[in-house]
Amino acid sequence: MTEFVTIVKKYGVTGVLALWLWHTDNRLNKVEAALYDCYKEQSYRKATNTRIELSEKLYAILPNDKRTNKRNSKA
């Protein structure tokens, strides 16, 4: 973290821009890697005609009686 501060103090706005570009490049590399992995998995599924079963997730919507909408209850 102190390296970033010294770079900003030494190079000013150019240093901030360079750090931002470096950070954005790192994030983009992670996204590209995830997309490549997804593409590789999809290609494997199509080539082998296999299905990968995913576990089913169920969600329940519960009423919340404790919290009322005060804005609409004054009418």
Side-chain angles (χ1 to χ4, degrees):
M1 184 68 176
T2 57
E3 300 88 20
F4 298 136
V5 174
T6 56
I7 289 173
V8 170
K9 285 182 180 179
K10 187 174 181 180
Y11 297 106
V13 176
T14 307
V16 172
L17 179 61
L19 290 175
W20 177 76
L21 286 173
W22 175 75
H23 176 70
T24 304
D25 183 55
N26 283 340
R27 288 179 57 205
L28 184 59
N29 287 339
K30 289 178 185 177
V31 170
E32 286 176 343
L35 286 173
Y36 179 74
D37 291 342
C38 182
Y39 173 73
K40 197 164 66 171
E41 174 132 351
Q42 293 292 330
S43 301
Y44 173 75
R45 284 188 201 179
K46 286 182 180 178
T48 59
N49 290 330
T50 58
R51 292 184 66 193
I52 298 174
E53 296 295 328
L54 301 175
S55 62
E56 186 175 323
K57 294 182 181 180
L58 302 175
Y59 296 98
I61 300 174
L62 303 175
N64 192 356
D65 296 334
K66 294 179 184 176
R67 187 174 161 194
T68 60
N69 191 350
K70 294 179 183 178
R71 205 175 352 162
N72 294 331
S73 62
K74 292 183 180 179

